[in-house]
């Protein structure tokens, strides 16, 4: 991967933050007015609200203005793949759409910029709480200006682990079996409904680890960089596996082993 100058990643971070800020304001305004019309995507439970569509359009408009000619991959409109060596913006306009639909405050706007599949800068905003996490590769991660550090967990049996579930019922049945295997071996499990915020929670030390199978790039591109820059060890989806794991260094191997024992890396 070509090297990136420090000033450049900080500039990219500032752009990601500015997009998340403006899109977050729109998403919050639209939520106050109600979730509005809802359509379904891959299954009856996989929803898209009018706010998802409007938010992604705004993100694309801002990026076209500030970063012309750089491709955008978004949850709602998709997008062409990046050119090798070129930058690509990855946008999830609302991560945690089901929470948004029900009025639960745990939803996020997530924006990352990647080169050759590696995130260089990222921002995740939680509009309902007014929080904003951001990171730049090699420059650390913060939440509203406060530097972040993952938890010092060293014992898996005392660790709080986050996860999430697919919208497809046959995969969910296998994920339930994985949860049954993991639950007796950890402190407890959380399923909060936004992978981007789960990863920011690992960065903030609110979770000791996070593991989920079947995430899309827009779900993790920003949160994984924020967690990594806060000191988490990340295992990204790779060829032949779409399993993502992020954890404090003291438990990552034990968590990875447990996940394999429960068959969770292959669900
Ligand atoms: C979903 C959330 C959820 C995760 C699902 C994702 P969406 O994204 O991140 O926590 O478990 O796998 O699809 O649909 O709310 O953008």
């Amino acid at each position: 991967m070509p090297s990136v100058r420090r000033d450049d990643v900080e500039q990219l971070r500032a752009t990601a933050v500015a997009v998340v800020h403006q899109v977050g304001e729109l998403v919050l305004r639209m939520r106050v007015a109600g979730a509005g019309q809802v359509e379904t995507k891959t299954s009856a439970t996989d929803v898209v609200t009018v706010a998802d569509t409007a938010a992604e359009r705004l993100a694309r408009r801002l990026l076209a203005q500030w970063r012309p000619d750089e491709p955008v991959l978004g949850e709602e409109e998709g997008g062409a793949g990046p050119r090798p060596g070129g930058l690509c913006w990855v946008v999830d306009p609302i991560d945690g759409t089901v929470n948004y639909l029900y009025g639960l405050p745990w939803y996020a706007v997530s924006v990352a910029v990647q080169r050759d599949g590696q995130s260089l800068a990222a921002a995740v905003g939680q509009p309902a709480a007014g929080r904003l996490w951001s990171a730049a590769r090699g420059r650390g991660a913060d939440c509203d200006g406060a530097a972040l550090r993952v938890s010092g967990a060293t014992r898996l049996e005392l660790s709080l682990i986050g996860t999430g579930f697919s919208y497809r019922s046959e995969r969910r049945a296998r994920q339930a079996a994985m949860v049954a295997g993991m639950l007796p071996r950890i402190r407890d499990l959380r399923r909060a409904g936004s992978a981007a915020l789960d990863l920011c929670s690992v960065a903030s030390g609110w979770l000791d680890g996070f593991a989920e199978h079947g995430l899309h790039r827009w779900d993790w591109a920003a949160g994984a960089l924020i967690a990594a820059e806060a000191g988490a060890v990340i295992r990204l989806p790779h060829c032949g596996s779409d399993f993502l794991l992020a954890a404090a260094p003291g438990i990552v191997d034990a968590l990875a082993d447990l996940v394999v024992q429960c068959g969770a890396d292959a669900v």
Side-chain angles (χ1 to χ4, degrees), residues 208-241:
D208 299 306
F210 170 75
E212 184 172 348
H213 191 266
L215 286 174
H216 298 283
R217 187 169 291 266
W218 46 77
D219 296 316
W220 58 258
L225 178 67
I226 292 166
E229 286 296 321
V233 179
I234 312 289
R235 311 243 162 109
L236 289 179
H238 56 82
C239 199
S241 156

Side-chain angles (χ1 to χ4, degrees), residues 102-115:
Y102 280 76
L104 283 166
W106 201 247
Y107 59 85
V109 178
S110 169
V111 174
V113 57
Q114 296 193 318
R115 174 174 281 154

